[in-house]
Structures are given as structure tokens and as C-alpha cells.
Amino acid sequence: MRTITIKPAAITHNLNQVKKFAPETKVLAMVKANAYGHGVAAVLPALQQANGVGVATLIEALEARQLGWDKTIALIEGAFTVDEWRQAIEHDISCVIHHAPQLTWALEHTPPVHCATRVVWLKYNTGMNRLGFNADGVIVAAQRLHEAGYQLILTTHFANADDQTHPLNAMQIQRFNDMLSTLQETVSADVQGSLCNSAGIVNFPTHHHDWVRPGIMLYGSTPVIDQSAYELDLQAAMEFSAQIIALQTVNAGEGIGYGSRWLAQQDTRTALVSVGYGDGYPRVIADKTYVTVIDTINHQSYPCTVIGRVAMDMIVIDVSNVPEGTALNSKVILWGNAPRVDEVATHAGTISYELLCRLSLRPQRLQG
Ligand SMILES: *Cc1c(COP(=O)(O)O)cnc(C)c1O
């Protein structure tokens, strides 16, 4: 059995950590990509103290509404078509407006007075160069939207906030702060600001403005390159586990698995674990990647390295350091408290976000 256990209490704890970093600020909790692979239905109840949730697609927004989320839902890339814009109005969804077509839809189809779509997240390109108006465009868009009765939140997104020393951060912050002041002076004093994702929340505490937009740190993974999840007191919101389904001793000189990539230097006790890339465990991992075996007999935890190629349905681990008689069916933690998903991501040459998002449908999902 392979299992993904979601821990709502950890998410609530992590949200409180966000509030410690940003005590004066409203929180838009990012739940895009099925809440970073955790399952939006499992996560929303733990986010009751957030002021809103952020999603990337209209389908995700409608799902959050259907699940009963009755506060702000922000569509962070906005509507993709005028039909989506109309649906956003119908379901009280607030949208980013990042380019001229979206501006046209908003000016031609204005929402009724109490509709949440009257709040627009106006996207300013400060250096990420993906979405957003340039400086002149954002001023014109802000004026026209304000005249049409919209309330504005100026927003932008960091390209390098995980690295506090990166020079683009100061540039993006300055462009954003200057523009926010300009809009407050020339368009409306009520224009709000939203700058920081998780890394910005941690690294730029004096630039939180009205709304922060935490994602990865809610799920217990570190957003910055120089501090671990432990140091930031973030709890793992997901435990991904499987079981030992066979035990063997591999003789010195023998290889293991596809490509016989790992060769036993000495007789080695090994365990077969029922998980693979078909579940979302990364196929390409460094040799030192470990899992935690919890022996069903003595209930002790043992770190054990993965040896040989990760296959679709199984991996092999070295259980030399587990007492002789390792129990069949012992639980094996792929990531959770130890190792953290951050460590596995590093060993896989990627980031925690990707490992969390690309889990497959095969593991059984539980709440713990
Ligand atoms: C995904 C996203 C976030 C959250 O980013 P994290 O690094 O996960 O905190 C914030 N803002 C926008 C616009 C996003 O797309």
C-alpha cells in the first residue's frame, strides 16, 4: 500500500507561522494545482483563518466555491476568455488583469455593485517578464478600471525572492513601491498592494503591503535557499509512505534492478518497497537519497538509502542498519518529517513544488 497522508493541523500551524511573519497583512493562501498536490478539499478546512485563496484556473476557482469557500478567490492569471470573465462574475471570483484583452472584457462587462469581481488584481511587470503591464500600461489600466468602479490591488511577482541577495529583488521592490505610490496619488488613495510570495514573506518583511500570497510554506517546505523548514518552524503537511513487501540478501558482486546500476560490495540485506515513479517518486535521484523505515516490530525509525534504479512500481533500499529480522510490511516514509520533501527534491535535482504537484492518482489518500 502506498499512502499520501495530509495533515491539516500542520497546515494551520504553517498559516500561523505566515501570520507571525506578516501580522498586519491579509493572507491569500495559494491552493493552485490541487493545493500543491495536497488536495484542495483536504486543505481548505485548515485555511479558515486565511482571508482568501489563490488559484490558477477558473476550474480550480469553481472547485473552491463548490467546496464552500465563501471568502475571496483570486484567479492569478485572470480569465483566459470573455466567457471565463462572465463566469468569474457569476461566481464572485476576483481576477488578475494583466493585459489589454482582459482590460477590455472588464470595461465592457462590469460586475454588479456587490460582486467580488469588482476587486481587480492589477498585474505590474516589475522584472519577471511573464505577465503584466509595463509602467505606462498599468497607469492607464488603473485609471480606466477605477473610473469603471473597480477597486484595485496592485500586484507583481518576484523572480528571485528565494535568494535574498539577488540584485533584481531590490529593483522589483522599488518599481513596485514607486508605482503603488503613484497610483495612490493619481488614481485613488484606496489602491492596495500585494507583492510577496512565501520567499518574499520571509526575506522582505518590510514590504508586505496589504496582502501576502504564501504557497509553498503553507505546505511545510522552505521557500528560501539559506534556511531550512526546521529553522523556519514549518511542519510537513504531507507524509508520503509505502511498505516493505519483500526482504532479500544480495551477495557481493551482484547488481540490483534495471541496468544493474548498483553493485553490492559485500553481502547486503535489502528490502523491496512498493513505490516508484508510477506513484510520483522521482526516478532520477542521487545515490545518497534516503527513506525512513519504521520497523513494525520494535517501532524504531531507521534511515535507509535507496539503491539501484527507481522503477515504476518499486524501489530497493539497503536495510543493513536495521536489526536483523526487519519486518515485512514495515512502513517506509519517502518524505514527511524525515526526510523532508526539500531534501528529496535536492537529491532529484528539482524543487519541492514539482515533487508535490506531480504525485499520481495511485497512492491512497488519507487525512492524519
Ligand atoms: C504560486 C504563486 C504564489 C505562491 O508562491 P510560493 O513560492 O509557493 O509561495 C504567489 N503569487 C503568485 C502570483 C503565484 O503564482
Side-chain angles (χ1 to χ4, degrees):
M1 187 161 81
R2 46 273 272 174
T3 307
I4 293 169
T5 308
I6 303 303
K7 308 197 165 170
I11 295 173
T12 301
H13 168 89
N14 297 335
L15 177 59
N16 284 330
Q17 290 303 103
V18 169
K19 287 172 180 279
K20 277 192 198 161
F21 278 104
E24 309 289 322
T25 315
K26 283 182 269 189
V27 177
L28 189 77
M30 301 306 295
V31 298
K32 60 194 178 187
N34 202 22
Y36 291 50
H38 291 67
V40 71
V43 161
L44 286 183
L47 292 174
Q48 290 307 313
Q49 298 309 312
N51 303 85
V53 294
V55 294
T57 70
L58 182 66
I59 288 176
E60 291 175 339
L62 298 180
E63 188 183 3
R65 269 286 174 262
Q66 244 155 32
L67 287 165
W69 186 265
D70 58 5
K71 293 187 265 185
T72 293
I73 299 178
L75 194 49
I76 58 163
E77 296 166 18
F80 299 161
T81 61
V82 69
D83 181 57
E84 283 199 0
W85 174 259
R86 288 208 196 89
Q87 287 188 63
I89 293 174
E90 196 179 319
H91 296 279
D92 277 302
I93 291 156
S94 304
C95 295
V96 159
I97 289 185
H98 63 78
H99 66 174
Q102 291 174 337
L103 178 60
T104 305
W105 305 332
L107 296 173
E108 288 177 357
H109 308 272
T110 42
V113 177
H114 295 295
C115 178
T117 315
R118 295 280 271 221
V119 176
V120 156
W121 298 67
L122 181 59
K123 184 100 170 195
Y124 177 31
N125 176 17
T126 55
M128 173 72 115
N129 292 308
R130 298 191 310 188
L131 300 179
F133 292 95
N134 65 18
D136 293 342
V138 96
I139 293 171
V140 173
Q143 261 154 0
R144 299 185 65 187
L145 288 166
H146 175 67
E147 282 159 17
Y150 289 95
Q151 292 155 254
L152 300 178
I153 302 168
L154 184 71
T155 188
T156 196
H157 196 44
F158 281 116
N160 300 280
D162 56 330
D163 176 3
Q164 195 176 25
T165 65
H166 195 288
L168 191 62
N169 292 319
M171 173 81 89
Q172 288 194 273
I173 289 169
Q174 194 186 341
R175 286 173 174 164
F176 183 83
N177 291 349
D178 288 352
M179 181 59 72
L180 187 57
S181 305
T182 300
L183 297 185
Q184 286 169 342
E185 283 157 22
T186 62
V187 176
S188 162
D190 295 333
V191 178
Q192 298 187 358
S194 175
L195 176 56
C196 292
N197 58 354
S198 300
I201 291 166
V202 173
N203 277 340
F204 305 111
T206 54
H207 299 286
H208 286 159
H209 293 285
D210 300 281
W211 286 84
V212 290
R213 308 185 308 270
I216 197 69
M217 71 188 288
L218 293 173
Y219 305 102
S221 174
T222 182
V224 294
I225 58 176
D226 57 345
Q227 288 177 86
S228 69
Y230 297 104
E231 289 169 305
L232 295 170
D233 188 14
L234 299 173
Q235 296 177 3
M238 177 191 292
E239 184 183 87
F240 182 25
S241 67
Q243 280 179 311
I244 291 179
I245 59 165
L247 293 155
Q248 280 209 9
T249 298
V250 175
N251 293 330
E254 293 284 320
I256 290 178
Y258 289 120
S260 304
R261 184 169 155 274
W262 190 88
L263 284 180
Q265 303 297 311
Q266 62 214 23
D267 292 359
T268 307
R269 287 191 298 115
T270 64
L272 202 116
V273 182
S274 60
V275 74
Y277 62 79
D279 303 286
Y281 192 76
R283 179 171 175 277
V284 178
I285 48 170
D287 285 335
K288 52 188 181 271
T289 309
Y290 76 97
V291 299
T292 299
V293 171
I294 302 177
D295 195 300
T296 53
I297 294 171
N298 66 15
H299 304 291
Q300 300 291 307
S301 301
Y302 303 93
C304 297
T305 52
V306 180
I307 53 181
R309 278 249 191 282
V310 172
M312 188 184 292
D313 312 307
M314 46 190 137
I315 59 175
V316 178
I317 61 174
D318 181 340
V319 290
S320 305
N321 62 341
V322 185
E324 197 96 38
T326 315
L328 205 60
N329 296 326
S330 287
K331 179 172 167 177
V332 178
I333 298 171
L334 291 326
W335 63 67
N337 281 330
R340 299 296 282 243
V341 66
D342 295 319
E343 298 169 68
V344 183
T346 301
H347 289 317
T350 185
I351 53 174
S352 59
Y353 302 67
E354 187 189 6
L355 295 189
L356 296 170
C357 285
R358 72 176 194 190
L359 290 161
S360 79
L361 292 174
R362 183 161 63 180
Q364 184 181 11
R365 295 219 167 222
L366 300 174
Q367 291 214 34

